[in-house]
Amino acid sequence: MQVIATAGHVDHGKSTLIRALTGIEPDRLREERQRGLTIDLGFAWTTLPSGREASFVDVPGHERFLANMLAGLGPAPIVCFVVAADEGWRAQSSDHRDAIAALGIDQGLIVVTRADLAPDRVGSVIAEARTELAGTGLADAPALGVSAVTGEGLDQLRDLLDQAVRTAREPSAVQRVRLWVDRSFTISGAGTVVTGTLGAGTLVREQRLELCGAIRGGEVVVRGLQSRGGSQASIGPVSRAAVNLRGLGADDISRGDALLTPGTWEITTVIDVRRRTGAGFAESPGELMVHIGTAAVPARVRPFGEDHARLTLARALPLRVGDPLVLRGSGSHSVRTGAHVLDVDPPRPARRGDGHRRTRALEAMPLTGDIAAEVARRGAMREDALERFGVAVPILLPTTLSRHGGWLVEAPALQRWSEHLRTLVETDRRADALSSGIPRKAAVDALDLPAATLLDVVVAAAGLDQSEGRVRDAAATETLGEAESSITQLEERLRGAPFRAPEADDLSVLHLGARELAAADRQGRLLRLDDGVILLPTAPALAMRELAQLPSPFTTSDARQALGTTRRVAIPLLEHLDARGWTRRLDAGHREIVR
């Protein structure tokens, strides 16, 4: 399967040629048939000599319909460039050549039509066309003369088309879908149908797609599919596709909208671009019309020198690095500039001189995107974000990057974050000896991390620890500040009576509150049990030595008496032993030692 678009000056026989090749009338509108002038896109299909199938998109040649022409030409991978033998190269031939050059189309052929009217000029017109197409991807394309009236050369043309389809680049059926809509209409009993050229990916019935539109967005569902006049369970590339959408009115979607694989495209209004053909940006108008796929969107222009610019689109579009754009003046009927998308998420200038720095960065940026530069600019990026941008992520990363789950992290950024975090933790510890560490959210905010999940990576790189939602330095020498003396007194007391936990009044006299006790617990100097019971960390082992001498099973009262303590202490201590797996509760009143 392939899709072939026509190109060429008005009234050079593009529609007549398609009609002769396919038997299908490409002029759909009554006005087109009455005037003999193609106004909008036409569609047809045929089976080539080898059995391969090809669809055609017939475009208007008149300068007033340049936007319609670009909507047909933009998504098509192959072009049939038409020049009439009796008229030769004309004004709109140049416009269409400029569009092909801007789009970077390099697959197709040159067809000299109306050979019956000027048979002696076919060779010279082919030579003229090659001269005019020099510097484009069609400069060396196969060429021949034909006559749709007499049939001369049509069989050879079918063979050349067959060869062009056979040797065309293989599209990927598993890539993400971006179907640019060129028509939308309603069919009674079916509802809304849109058509477009599917260049990559696969469409299937009941598939959920994302609509990026001028009027609305959101999820849509494929109710049915047609291609070349017949229903299909699925459609792969490159194909003309008619998609019946469920729950969507025909007025909600129109030419220039796009159907997408959900969540896989960057929907953006600001892009940085590089000129590939035509006029530069230094003297550009403040606003240009941007053509991509079937979309035509006004954009404000900020030049970054002659070859680069920032475009702020009037509405969001699904774009990727490397996308070809055609730019024209808002009131012009000719192509001004061809450009490539370099960045779909460019940095916003914030300081004096940022414009000059951005110009230098764009000049050094490869057309395929710079993964190291993208990650360095942000410190860290998710791999799927880079894939949305259209920047390939290799298995073997540049030496400045490392993988952490779905994140790519730049080494210098990780070092900066780690050093900053260590400083924060140290400052917090010096300011408050009883601090349990920096709260995670405070650390994320202070470091200005792209995502909270990256804190784990930074903590590990900094050699710090996390517990109970806080970051601390477990290796640092900890003190208890003014509480040191009171904790020491409490330790001495518990060494003499290990199971006689202090009462609230005892702790109050020692000026030991929750923060002081928690700090001592973290340092392993005290053990805090439920119900405010405070013992030494050695208490569980000492308790097991006493309980092991009791007959099994034993009661809570037996344990309390053996330990010489109160029920307030015995119950939390026994529950702690249960949790450690040292004792086992048999029923409401009995336990046993776990051997």
Side-chain angles (χ1 to χ4, degrees):
M1 287 297 302
Q2 271 296 349
V3 175
I4 303 166
T6 61
H9 188 78
V10 61
D11 199 31
H12 274 204
K14 297 186 295 297
S15 301
T16 302
L17 179 63
I18 297 303
R19 195 180 305 118
L21 287 171
T22 67
I24 297 173
E25 173 59 66
D27 286 339
R28 300 176 292 108
L29 307 177
R30 179 183 300 176
E31 182 183 359
E32 291 177 316
R33 292 191 289 271
Q34 289 175 344
R35 297 173 59 183
L37 175 69
T38 299
I39 297 172
D40 204 354
L41 303 180
F43 309 98
W45 59 90
T46 191
T47 301
L48 298 171
S50 67
R52 296 181 179 87
E53 293 182 316
S55 296
F56 293 89
V57 179
D58 187 33
V59 307
H62 198 283
E63 62 176 2
R64 286 185 295 145
F65 309 120
L66 179 66
N68 290 347
M69 182 276 286
L70 291 170
L73 197 61
I78 301 175
V79 170
C80 184
F81 201 103
V82 173
V83 185
D86 57 328
E87 292 192 359
W89 196 269
R90 300 295 296 274
Q92 273 70 64
S93 302
S94 296
D95 291 336
H96 289 210
R97 172 205 59 203
D98 294 345
I100 288 169
L103 292 167
I105 296 174
D106 60 0
Q107 301 179 116
L109 56 156
I110 302 166
V111 180
V112 176
T113 56
R114 303 211 293 248
D116 55 308
L117 298 182
D120 57 331
R121 293 195 58 199
V122 170
S124 62
V125 171
I126 289 176
E128 181 185 24
R130 289 201 187 282
T131 299
E132 294 289 346
L133 290 167
T136 75
L138 297 186
D140 299 317
L144 80 165
V146 303
S147 171
V149 175
T150 67
E152 176 190 350
L154 289 183
D155 288 341
Q156 294 95 315
L157 176 56
R158 291 187 179 94
D159 290 336
L160 285 178
L161 289 168
D162 207 343
Q163 182 181 0
V165 169
R166 177 174 54 82
T167 59
R169 282 183 290 275
E170 187 80 17
S172 171
V174 297
Q175 282 186 3
R176 52 188 176 166
V177 168
R178 180 176 59 176
L179 181 73
W180 292 104
V181 174
D182 51 41
R183 282 191 301 162
S184 65
F185 49 90
T186 300
I187 295 180
S188 178
T192 299
V193 175
V194 300
T195 67
T197 297
L198 180 65
T202 300
L203 296 171
V204 296
R205 290 178 186 167
E206 300 304 320
Q207 182 178 8
R208 296 181 182 276
L209 297 172
E210 178 183 357
L211 170 61
C212 177
I215 297 175
R216 59 158 284 185
E219 185 181 273
V220 295
V221 179
V222 177
R223 180 180 181 182
L225 294 166
Q226 280 200 346
S227 185
R228 305 176 307 284
S231 295
Q232 308 287 334
S234 66
I235 298 176
V238 173
S239 302
R240 288 293 303 167
V243 187
N244 183 197
L245 297 172
R246 182 178 293 127
L248 187 71
D251 292 339
D252 293 332
I253 186 169
S254 59
R255 177 174 294 176
D257 294 350
L259 296 174
L260 314 168
T261 302
T264 63
W265 289 89
E266 187 69 10
I267 312 298
T268 181
T269 58
V270 182
I271 55 176
D272 284 351
V273 302
R274 173 179 294 158
R275 175 174 69 112
R276 65 179 298 172
T277 63
F281 291 111
E283 302 299 328
S284 170
E287 182 174 287
L288 291 173
M289 187 66 68
V290 176
H291 293 265
I292 170 72
T294 61
V297 178
R300 297 195 311 275
V301 182
R302 177 185 177 177
F304 290 128
E306 191 72 15
D307 293 327
H308 298 90
R310 174 158 299 174
L311 304 180
T312 302
L313 306 172
R315 73 174 178 93
L317 294 176
L319 300 176
R320 65 185 171 198
V321 171
D323 269 340
L325 306 176
V326 178
L327 309 178
R328 65 180 179 89
S330 56
S332 172
H333 296 308
S334 62
V335 172
R336 183 186 191 278
T337 304
H340 275 134
V341 176
L342 278 185
D343 196 336
V344 296
D345 183 34
R348 276 41 171 186
R351 299 174 298 160
R352 182 183 297 274
D354 277 356
H356 294 297
R357 283 186 286 272
R358 185 58 178 165
T359 300
R360 292 194 298 271
L362 291 172
E363 289 171 347
M365 192 177 295
L367 184 58
T368 55
D370 187 337
I371 181 174
E374 292 284 357
V375 178
R377 203 174 83 206
R378 302 164 177 85
M381 281 190 73
R382 287 196 59 83
E383 288 193 53
D384 53 10
L386 285 162
E387 290 165 356
R388 283 200 316 274
F389 290 2
V391 179
V393 180
I395 295 176
L396 184 62
L397 295 174
T399 56
T400 57
L401 304 182
S402 58
R403 273 192 181 87
H404 301 274
W407 287 88
L408 302 183
V409 181
E410 189 211 22
L414 183 56
Q415 182 176 353
R416 290 194 304 272
W417 289 331
S418 300
E419 292 173 353
H420 190 184
L421 183 59
R422 288 192 64 84
T423 300
L424 290 172
V425 169
E426 178 64 18
T427 301
D428 174 72
R429 190 177 66 83
R430 288 178 178 175
D432 183 1
L434 300 180
S435 173
S436 57
I438 300 288
R440 279 183 59 91
K441 185 178 186 310
V444 170
D445 292 343
L447 298 177
D448 194 23
L449 294 177
T453 54
L454 286 172
L455 183 61
D456 296 338
V457 179
V458 179
V459 168
L464 301 172
D465 289 335
Q466 295 186 78
S467 63
E468 300 179 351
R470 290 177 175 265
V471 181
R472 57 190 290 268
D473 186 356
T477 302
E478 296 189 76
T479 67
L480 295 174
E482 295 178 356
E484 179 65 37
S485 175
S486 296
I487 293 295
T488 300
Q489 291 182 52
L490 182 56
E491 287 175 319
E492 289 297 325
R493 172 177 167 176
L494 287 171
R495 287 191 189 100
F499 306 115
R500 299 191 65 175
E503 301 289 343
D505 289 346
D506 299 326
L507 296 173
S508 178
V509 168
L510 292 171
H511 302 290
L512 294 177
R515 293 185 71 248
E516 290 80 8
L517 294 170
D521 183 34
R522 285 196 306 274
Q523 293 185 29
R525 295 179 62 176
L526 295 178
L527 174 67
R528 292 187 301 166
L529 301 179
D530 291 344
D531 297 329
V533 172
I534 306 297
L535 299 174
L536 290 177
T538 57
L542 294 174
M544 286 299 297
R545 187 171 64 185
E546 300 298 328
L547 296 177
Q549 301 179 35
L550 294 175
S552 185
F554 57 85
T555 66
T556 302
S557 179
D558 293 335
R560 179 184 61 77
Q561 294 179 39
L563 299 177
T565 189
T566 64
R567 184 177 180 83
R568 180 182 80 87
V569 175
I571 290 178
L573 179 55
L574 288 171
E575 290 175 346
H576 178 77
L577 297 176
D578 292 343
R580 284 193 172 188
W582 292 359
T583 58
R584 181 186 301 118
R585 185 174 180 178
L586 301 177
D587 55 37
H590 295 83
R591 282 180 170 81
E592 64 179 3
I593 303 293
V594 177
R595 303 296 180 180

